[in-house]
């Protein structure tokens, strides 16, 4: 299996992130997961939505790409395909964490749908000096708690790929599909770059964010970081999202216009970095 899918599987298994175990909950308190994957050079892709029992959605997206005649399967059809392919399935309760049950309660009390936890916890209350157990070193750490996960890779021959996996938004309607499984919105890879997005799916879909990075590189001739900066500034509503990207030249770039984005980078020669804030 490609390294990019393995990285996403690891993150899906960690309940800290909004994918697989630890996924954001629907308004009914259930989990509906989605994921997509794209292999740049051949522009092959696979996507899944509405998964309720598949332990690693990204692996099913990969099977859609490799073992089905289609690009995108959803809900009962995707679950049937998972069983045909023999992927690991678990009860829906496996994905539900105590933290997320609490967050759903907060979201319902605030009558809002969350892609992060800013609204109920409030940065304003932090800057106003209100003591909160959720503030560490003066920063509201829970603001960013679970995020969608994604991975972009480029190999020594300049081949790019991308994958994204999510539980979606906390308190979303059942049946809601976000950007993460949509090729061109939350995920895209081609001969030029690989891109994976996180944030408010509706804004990412409106901006066809991932594809725009590739389009700007192709049609405006911009380098990767300039393309990312252009797309974040020109195509994305303020405060809504972010993305990670690699180019066929081995460049790494990211951009976001929300307060922070968990991100990391690792190269073959051992370089590694992890960042959250600007
Ligand atoms: N983009 C995801 C969605 O809207 C949520 C996230 O990135 O946290 O489904």
């Amino acid at each position: 299996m490609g390294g990019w899918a393995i990285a996403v599987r690891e993150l899906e298994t960690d309940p800290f992130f909004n994918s697989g175990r630890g996924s954001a909950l629907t308004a009914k308190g259930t989990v509906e997961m989605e994921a997509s994957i794209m292999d740049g050079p051949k522009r092959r892709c696979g996507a899944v939505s509405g998964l309720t029992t598949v332990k690693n959605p990204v692996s099913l997206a990969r099977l859609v790409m490799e073992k089905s005649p289609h690009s995108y399967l959803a809900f009962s059809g995707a679950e049937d395909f998972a069983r045909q392919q023999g992927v690991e399935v678990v009860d829906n309760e496996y994905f539900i964490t105590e933290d997320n049950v609490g967050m759903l309660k907060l979201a319902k009390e605030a009558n809002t749908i969350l892609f992060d936890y800013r609204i109920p916890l409030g940065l304003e209350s932090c800057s106003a000096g209100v003591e909160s157990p959720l503030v560490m070193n003066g920063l509201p750490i829970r603001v960013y708690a679970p995020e969608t996960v994604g991975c972009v890779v480029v190999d020594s021959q300049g081949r790019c790929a991308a994958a994204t996996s999510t539980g979606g938004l906390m308190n979303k309607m059942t049946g809601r599909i976000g950007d993460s499984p949509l090729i061109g919105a939350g995920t895209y890879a081609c001969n030029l770059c690989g891109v994976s997005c996180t944030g408010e799916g509706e804004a990412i879909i409106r901006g066809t964010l991932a594809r725009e990075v590739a389009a700007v590189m192709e049609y405006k001739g911009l380098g990767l970081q300039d393309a990312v900066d252009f797309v974040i500034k020109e195509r994305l509503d303020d405060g809504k999202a972010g993305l990670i990207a690699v180019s066929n030249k081995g460049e790494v770039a990211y951009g976001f216009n929300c307060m922070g984005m968990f991100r990391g980078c690792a190269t073959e020669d051992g370089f590694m970095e992890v960042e959250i804030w600007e």
Side-chain angles (χ1 to χ4, degrees), residues 66-192:
E66 290 180 344
K67 301 269 162 68
S68 88
H70 303 301
S71 301
Y72 192 174
L73 293 174
F75 294 92
S76 60
E79 289 279 341
D80 290 347
F81 179 66
R83 278 154 185 80
Q84 271 167 29
Q85 294 295 320
V87 305
E88 190 174 354
V89 292
V90 289
D91 287 342
N92 199 248
E93 282 77 58
Y94 161 85
F95 302 104
I96 300 173
T97 63
E98 212 178 299
D99 269 7
N100 282 347
V101 170
M103 285 300 164
L104 178 62
K105 195 164 164 275
L106 286 175
K108 282 184 180 288
E109 279 163 13
N111 193 23
T112 190
I113 297 164
L114 303 176
F115 79 91
D116 64 28
Y117 297 151
R118 198 176 331 167
I119 299 166
L121 298 179
L123 249 195
E124 302 76 11
S125 57
C126 301
S127 53
V130 176
E131 281 296 315
S132 161
L134 301 171
V135 175
M136 185 187 276
N137 299 329
L139 295 172
I141 54 164
R142 294 300 296 275
V143 164
Y144 295 109
E147 277 200 18
T148 288
V149 306
C151 180
V152 289
V153 291
V154 53
D155 71 10
S156 57
Q157 292 169 48
R159 294 179 298 206
C160 300
T164 313
S165 179
T166 191
L169 303 184
M170 186 65 76
N171 203 21
K172 68 182 181 180
M173 291 169 67
T174 52
R176 179 258 185 191
I177 292 173
D179 60 295
S180 305
L182 300 184
I183 297 299
T187 305
Y188 192 70
C190 61
N191 59 329
L192 291 173

Side-chain angles (χ1 to χ4, degrees), residues 172-271:
K172 68 182 181 180
M173 291 169 67
T174 52
R176 179 258 185 191
I177 292 173
D179 60 295
S180 305
L182 300 184
I183 297 299
T187 305
Y188 192 70
C190 61
N191 59 329
L192 291 173
C193 62
V195 184
S196 173
C197 303
T198 182
E200 192 184 292
E202 285 69 11
I204 297 169
I205 292 169
R206 284 196 296 278
T208 50
L209 227 55
R211 167 63 195 156
E212 279 294 282
V213 172
V216 162
M217 289 178 78
E218 189 173 349
Y219 302 130
K220 277 173 93 71
L222 296 187
L224 184 71
Q225 187 66 59
D226 286 344
V228 168
D229 293 345
F230 177 88
V231 166
I232 297 285
K233 187 158 176 281
E234 302 296 334
R235 298 286 182 268
L236 182 62
D237 300 345
D238 215 24
K240 295 295 189 188
L243 60 87
I244 53 172
V246 289
S247 77
N248 60 3
K249 297 192 183 116
E251 298 153 312
V252 176
Y254 63 84
F256 55 90
N257 68 9
C258 42
M259 281 186 294
M261 181 175 73
F262 282 41
R263 58 197 185 273
C265 170
T267 64
E268 208 179 31
D269 54 18
F271 170 80

Side-chain angles (χ1 to χ4, degrees), residues 25-31 92 96 104 108:
L25 306 177
T26 67
K28 291 187 179 158
T30 55
V31 162
N92 199 248
I96 300 173
L104 178 62
K108 282 184 180 288

